[in-house]
Each structure stands twice: as C-alpha cells, then as structure tokens.
Amino acid sequence: MPPKELPGFYYDPDKNRYFPTKGRIPGAATRPPRPPPPPAEPSPPPTARRKRARQSELLHAREMYGGGVIFSKNNKSTFKQQCQYTQASQPMVWKYQGTTLVADKALEELHAMVQTPSGLRESKLLATGSTNGSIRLFGLGTALENFEDEMEFLPQPVWTPSGKQKAAVNSPLANIWSSEIAFSNFSSGISCIKKFGHNFHDAASTNSSVQRALIRWFLWTADCNSDGTQVVLGTNTGAGLLNLETGTLSWLYRCKSDILSQQFVHSGNVVLCGLRNGSIVPIDVRETHSNLPTGRSSPSTARGAVPMLSARHIARGRNQADKAKSSRVISMPSAVCSLVALSSDEHYFLGSSMDGSIKLFDLRLIQKGAIQSYAGHVNSHNNLPLVVDPSETLLMSGGEDCTVRIWSIKTGEQIFAKSVADTLFTALCWPESNLDLDGSSSLFDLNHSWGAWMGSRDGLFYMHGT
C-alpha cells in the first residue's frame, strides 16, 4: 500500500520516512521527478482553413465589442469583414442559356443612357467580348425588355451550396436582353474592354485616325485613366500613351518582351505594365516622353507612326528601360497575366503570373518583394484574370482546374474553392452593388449581398451571395 500524501512533506522510500519539502536533508534520496505534462495539440498547418464564425457568434461579437473583433490569435477583422467572408463562402451560381462564345475574353458593366419607346432612360449594360472578335451589349435593367428586336436570355442555376436549394426557387435571378446581332465585330479576338471615365464624351470628338490607330496597335492589352483622357496601349514592343484630348501618341516604355497586362493606379499618375518575361514595370506617365503626333493624319500615317522611331528615340527608350530594370522592376516567376491596383491605397496592387502565383505588392517596398501571397491558384499557360470586390476585401480568380477561388486580401486566407461548373473562367467582372439606375428594384442587387459576372467559352455566368 503506497504511503499517504501529507501536505508540506514528501516520502523517501529508502529511509521509509517523511521529510519537509522546504529543505533537503544532506544524504537523503532525491525526490522523484514529476511526470512531464501531456504534449500540446499540434497547430494546424498554415494552409488549413480557419473555422468560420457562426451567425450567433457574429451577432454576439458585434454587440459586445463593436466594429473591431479579434477572432483568433493572429487574425483581426471587423464584424463587416466577417460577414463578407461568411457570405462569400456560400455563393450561388447561374448560367444564362444561349450565351456560348460571347463572353470568354472580356466583361465590363457600364452605366448608359438607353433610348426606349418612352424616351431616354438610365440603365445598366454588360459589355462582353469574345475570341471571335464580337462585342455584345446585354441590358440588365427593365429599360431594354420591351424592344421588339431584343432577345431574352434566361438564367438556370448550376451550383447551389448545401442547404440552400430553395433559394434558387424563392429568389430567382433576373433575365437579360441583347440584340440578335453583335454590337461590334473586330477582325481578331477581343483582349479586354475598359470603360472610360466622366469625360467619355470628349473621346467621341477625337480624330478618327487616332481611333483607327488605337484599334490597329491595341495588340495585347490597354487601360485608361480615371478621367478618360489617356489610354495606355500594351504591344509586343512596349507601351504607348494615347492622349484623347490632343490626339498624340508617345512611347512610355520600350522593351523586347510583350506587355500582357496593364493597370493604372488610382491617381492616374503611374501605370503598371506586366511583361511576358515576368517583370512588372511601374511607369510615371507625367515624365517627358517622345511624342508621335497622329492627329489630322491618314490611316496609313497613323499605322506607321508608332513603330517608326528614329535610332535616337530607340536608344533613349532602351536607356529608360535599363534604368527602370535596375531600380523599380518587380519580378514574378513567369509571364504576368493580370494586374489589379487597389483604390483604397494606390501603393498596393495585386499581380498574378502563369505559374499560378498571386501576390500583393507595395510600390514603396519593391526591393522586399511581395508582402502577401495567395495559395491554391492553378495556372500553367492561360491568361487568367483577377478581380476584387468593391470594398477591396475579397479577391477572386478561376483556375485551370475549373475551380473558382475567393481569398481574403488582408489575410491571404482561402475562403471559397469549388468547381462550380465544368469550364475554365477566362473573364471576370465584380461591379458595384446598388439599385437599378432607372429607379426600379433590380434582382441583381436587391436580393443578394454581392454579385460577380464570370465568362467562359461555355457561356455567361453570374455568382452571388445567398
């Protein structure tokens, strides 16, 4: 029978007696060591998905702590952000019937004045571009539904989260309308569609030869500043700047690698150029560049204006390129296929490359590389786009494995990853969510917390929160 434990004493089995624990008698046996504590549970790997906060937990946290809540040891987010994460983790996806090969290259939601039988009405339009060179306009509001020559396209649910099957019946998606023929046709595939800013009407008065030059030399990509006065063209020999007010073209950057992606930062002073060789070059458009006037010229002169540079201009451009490469160039593992600048802070931008890498950069910390990475994206050779929600909380992209993924921009956590349709999404658009401009309620906004357009060769899709 083991001896009884006495408070303040320990038992020595060799001497068969108790000794006080405050001091040790010389020659006494050493006190047996205590058993080691049980090992702590291993921490989850960095890629493990963090458990979502329940709705009751979110409401309790909002009432107790207000806007800022710490949900884990390393991650801090507001109540609004947690709600956005929860809504993004359970989306619903619809496909519009009869839209094959109309939206596999470009998507852009526009606000426009539409001529209706009852007069001009403001409405929303969705512009789509395809590899066959066609551009189509789809009416999203009620202003276009009464036209006789318009075709109606009906949505069909293709992916519904578990337990949300009734939502597809109780909250149907709105129909869309478009003309039987394409709005415009080009001789080659559409690379991108960019909407102009508030001065779009100024562009309409631009010399016709400048517009033809824009179409002729728009090879890979293009982007415009916020006021719609300048357009940057990405070609196989560099980046050119087209001023729509003066009708002049000038070189911004000369290089031997194709420019596959471009993005103006929010201020409009810097444009980011993503190259096939994996470089991202920030260029200040306010710097002096070699002007190549195209106004009041013939189409043949406009076509030849950009590439026909003198040796002095070429050398100057190469010197500028070498200087940029040594101090300001950001490197990615492979060809840069998408760039997205954040409007909340013009120093931050997202970039993706064709090896599946997606990273967040800070223009002030170029030498330190990326400040955040987003794991899980699958890509090897496709020009797959990135898109962010209007609040710049979420990042979305489609992979070659036909999986749509959504990440938290702040933490890099993957919130959603599902194959919602057996197709590769090559065009994305995440517009602002608001009521229809013509004053009526819109099913695209009224019943859903968020919504994004997705395009593939199989058709036009719409993903929204439940």
Side-chain angles (χ1 to χ4, degrees), residues 344-360:
S344 57
D345 191 326
E346 65 176 18
H347 298 103
Y348 292 97
F349 70 93
L350 293 154
S352 68
S353 56
M354 289 190 182
D355 68 330
S357 300
I358 300 178
K359 299 180 182 297
L360 177 67

Side-chain angles (χ1 to χ4, degrees), residues 56-69:
S56 58
E57 295 174 346
L58 290 174
L59 294 175
H60 174 75
R62 183 187 65 177
E63 298 299 327
M64 294 295 296
Y65 306 108
V69 183

Side-chain angles (χ1 to χ4, degrees), residues 233 235 237-241 250-257 259 262 271 273 275 277 279-283 289 317-318 320-325 329:
L233 313 177
T235 73
T237 58
L241 179 66
S250 59
W251 279 117
L252 290 177
Y253 178 65
R254 295 279 296 182
C255 61
K256 296 181 180 180
S257 181
I259 297 180
Q262 289 179 324
V271 63
C273 296
L275 279 61
N277 62 13
S279 300
I280 301 176
V281 183
I283 303 172
H289 305 283
R318 288 177 178 174
Q320 292 175 351
D322 294 338
K323 183 179 179 180
K325 288 181 180 179
V329 171

Side-chain angles (χ1 to χ4, degrees), residues 44 48-54 57 71-72 82 86 413:
R49 182 176 299 178
R50 179 163 51 92
K51 184 179 179 181
R52 285 277 142 239
R54 298 177 181 176
E57 295 174 346
F71 288 91
S72 66
Q82 282 294 320
T86 302
E413 177 191 1

Side-chain angles (χ1 to χ4, degrees), residues 17 45 51 86 123 137 139 141 197 203 212 234 304 308 335-336 370 404-405 408-409 422 451 459 464:
R17 59 178 295 186
K51 184 179 179 181
T86 302
S123 185
L137 297 179
R212 284 192 289 268
M308 299 300 294
V336 182
V404 177
R405 292 177 173 86
S408 165
I409 295 179
D422 188 18
H464 64 81

Side-chain angles (χ1 to χ4, degrees), residues 255-278:
C255 61
K256 296 181 180 180
S257 181
D258 299 336
I259 297 180
L260 301 182
S261 56
Q262 289 179 324
Q263 176 69 65
F264 266 103
V265 300
H266 187 62
S267 65
N269 298 327
V270 176
V271 63
L272 305 169
C273 296
L275 279 61
R276 188 184 293 276
N277 62 13

